[in-house]
Amino acid sequence: MDSFLEDYEEAPAVVVGGKRRRRRRRSPATQAALQPLLHLPFLPPQPVSSNEHKLNFKKSKEACLSYIQDALLQKQWKRAAEFLTCYVESLEKDYSREHIGPSEMIWRIGTEILWHHSQSRMKEFNCFMEQMKTLGVKRYLKVCLEHVFHLLCNGQIDEAYQNLSLAESWRFGEQTAIQDKEIKLIQAYRGLLDYCSWSKQKKILLEHGEDGFADLAVEQEMHSYFRKAAVNLKEIIKIPGVWDVFVKCYVDLLEFYGEHNEARQVLNEYAYNSKFPANPNAHVYLYQFLKRQGESKKSLISALKILHDIVPSHELMIDFNTMLQKSTSSFSREKKKASTGPRSYFCSLGLCWLERKCKSMELFGKTGETNCNLREAS
């Protein structure tokens, strides 16, 4: 009690109701103990527990991502860019507390915003991509490919080729199977640009004709591009997948230099190998190649037959039906093809459901059979 009273000091007397009373005054130490805590702007806030911080940060991050998603869906690119900037800044401030690596999310959202933003320039995009390459090393090759696509869309072919060459020589840790496929894809696109350069030189050579030493220099440069393109394109089409553009370019190179057997082998492998996904274009490329080589109608019909099963409404079904009608085979085969012809016409018009209508198809089959009998009788 005495110690408590020591915290009070004598104050001047105050007159209350005609009587003099003395008011006791609290000491500064007592006042500070009884007053609530103040958080001044220039003072650090009270530390919070680790769990509470994680919960608050998670809520803030989810809210910010929700705003970004809403802005993207409404195509409000400026608003989305502002929220993404806030999101990145919050991650930078929190990096010392806990390691968070949302680099792929930032890369994909940022790329989408920069692609559509009205004030976006290629310089800013290049800078952003370089930052993304250093931020996520495991996605370095994917970011490089994304960067190359944007450079090509903006006509910067030399810069794109340079980026592909740098990416091809990049290595991180022990090379995995995924990295190996990504590097082959990088090499394939570099081969595609080599093919474009080869094609330009071929055009120059064909336009100017024979012109002595000038033609010799162009031809040597063409052959150099051919070797580089062929090596890289050949590797990627060995991996099961859909490689239409690479296959077409590689076959064009082989045909130009008279490697028709190898071109045929490549197209057959691409069309009929069960490890590759079903691809109508593979059969189209094979049919076009066989037609250029002057193959028999039997080979052409065989190539289109599978295409008819996959895409019955393809425009080449008109050629397929015409060849069926003109085919000079035995009576039994002709009878079968006479009923196949109308079916392929209906399928090419997108009326495949008629094939399931038994009556309709039987009538067309009988009509075809009658025509065949009349032809045989005559």
Side-chain angles (χ1 to χ4, degrees):
M1 187 68 177
D2 293 337
S3 63
F4 179 78
L5 292 176
E6 286 176 1
D7 289 340
Y8 288 87
E9 296 178 359
E10 291 292 332
V14 179
V15 178
V16 179
K19 297 181 181 180
R20 291 175 60 86
R21 293 185 179 178
R22 290 190 178 276
R23 186 179 63 185
R24 293 188 180 275
R25 186 171 58 189
R26 294 188 180 94
S27 67
T30 306
Q31 289 179 356
L34 297 177
Q35 285 177 353
L37 292 174
L38 296 176
H39 298 303
L40 300 177
F42 50 85
L43 293 177
Q46 292 292 326
V48 295
S49 66
S50 177
N51 291 334
E52 186 180 352
H53 167 74
K54 290 178 182 178
L55 183 62
N56 292 337
F57 177 76
K58 184 179 179 181
K59 289 180 179 178
S60 301
K61 185 179 72 171
E62 289 175 354
C64 192
L65 287 175
S66 177
Y67 291 139
I68 293 172
Q69 183 183 20
D70 182 63
L72 290 174
L73 291 173
Q74 297 184 35
K75 299 182 179 180
Q76 298 174 352
W77 308 113
K78 185 177 179 181
R79 181 166 163 257
E82 291 171 356
F83 280 124
L84 182 61
T85 304
C86 295
Y87 179 72
V88 174
E89 288 176 355
S90 67
L91 291 178
E92 289 175 351
K93 291 177 183 177
D94 195 75
Y95 188 78
S96 59
R97 295 175 182 258
E98 183 180 358
H99 177 69
I100 299 172
S103 56
E104 184 171 4
M105 189 182 301
I106 296 172
W107 159 46
R108 294 188 182 279
I109 294 175
T111 302
E112 191 72 16
I113 292 171
L114 287 172
W115 179 252
H116 292 94
H117 201 292
S118 58
Q119 298 178 359
S120 175
R121 294 173 298 178
M122 201 61 207
K123 182 180 179 182
E124 295 169 348
F125 189 88
N126 290 339
C127 181
F128 175 76
M129 280 299 179
E130 292 302 325
Q131 290 177 343
M132 291 299 102
K133 289 174 187 177
T134 57
L135 186 60
V137 289
K138 291 185 179 180
R139 284 176 289 274
Y140 179 85
L141 296 174
K142 291 181 180 178
V143 176
C144 284
L145 274 177
E146 183 86 34
H147 193 189
V148 167
F149 293 153
H150 283 272
L151 289 170
L152 291 174
C153 288
N154 286 271
Q156 300 181 13
I157 298 175
D158 294 336
E159 290 81 356
Y161 192 89
Q162 185 179 359
N163 272 269
L164 288 171
S165 299
L166 290 172
E168 187 180 354
S169 60
W170 178 86
R171 295 292 183 275
F172 174 71
E174 189 175 342
Q175 188 170 347
T176 62
I178 296 175
Q179 280 187 5
D180 186 52
K181 288 182 180 179
E182 289 175 347
I183 289 174
K184 284 187 177 180
L185 193 58
I186 292 282
Q187 293 171 341
Y189 277 103
R190 194 164 69 88
L192 192 63
L193 293 183
D194 285 324
Y195 167 81
C196 292
S197 300
W198 174 86
S199 185
K200 287 180 182 177
Q201 296 300 319
K202 182 183 78 169
K203 187 177 179 182
I204 293 172
L205 188 66
L206 295 176
E207 284 180 353
H208 292 80
E210 297 182 2
D211 192 15
F213 293 105
D215 280 348
L216 182 61
V218 171
E219 198 168 339
Q220 288 176 346
E221 194 172 1
M222 264 183 68
H223 197 68
S224 174
Y225 285 126
F226 161 74
R227 287 198 309 271
K228 291 188 287 186
V231 168
N232 290 323
L233 294 175
K234 185 177 182 179
E235 287 301 313
I236 193 65
I237 61 179
K238 291 178 181 178
I239 304 172
V242 179
W243 310 117
D244 289 355
V245 64
F246 302 126
V247 169
K248 285 183 70 176
C249 295
Y250 186 52
V251 168
D252 188 24
L253 290 170
L254 294 175
E255 281 192 274
F256 184 82
Y257 289 99
E259 301 289 340
H260 302 296
N261 291 332
E262 187 176 350
R264 184 194 299 270
Q265 185 179 351
V266 167
L267 291 171
N268 279 320
E269 183 76 9
Y270 192 53
Y272 299 123
N273 192 333
S274 59
K275 293 181 180 179
F276 284 76
N279 182 6
N281 290 336
H283 302 281
V284 172
Y285 302 150
L286 178 60
Y287 166 75
Q288 292 171 344
F289 172 79
L290 294 174
K291 193 174 181 180
R292 288 194 299 269
Q293 296 300 310
E295 295 290 332
S296 64
K297 282 188 173 62
K298 184 179 179 181
S299 301
L300 298 177
I301 290 172
S302 177
L304 288 181
K305 180 66 175 68
I306 299 177
L307 180 63
H308 172 267
D309 296 338
I310 301 174
V311 187
S313 60
H314 197 279
E315 59 183 359
L316 286 177
M317 291 303 101
I318 297 174
D319 294 349
F320 178 58
N321 184 71
T322 303
M323 285 188 291
L324 284 175
Q325 290 181 340
K326 291 182 178 179
S327 178
T328 55
S329 58
S330 63
F331 170 71
S332 58
R333 290 184 180 179
E334 191 171 351
K335 195 162 103 175
K336 183 179 178 182
K337 290 173 184 176
S339 61
T340 309
R343 184 183 293 113
S344 65
Y345 268 130
F346 279 113
C347 290
S348 65
L349 294 171
L351 302 175
C352 300
W353 57 271
L354 276 176
E355 189 174 353
R356 297 192 295 271
K357 300 291 183 180
C358 298
K359 268 194 173 181
S360 303
M361 295 314 300
E362 281 176 10
L363 287 173
F364 277 110
K366 287 178 182 178
T367 305
E369 186 177 351
T370 305
N371 291 337
C372 289
N373 292 335
L374 290 172
R375 194 180 306 169
E376 186 188 25
S378 61

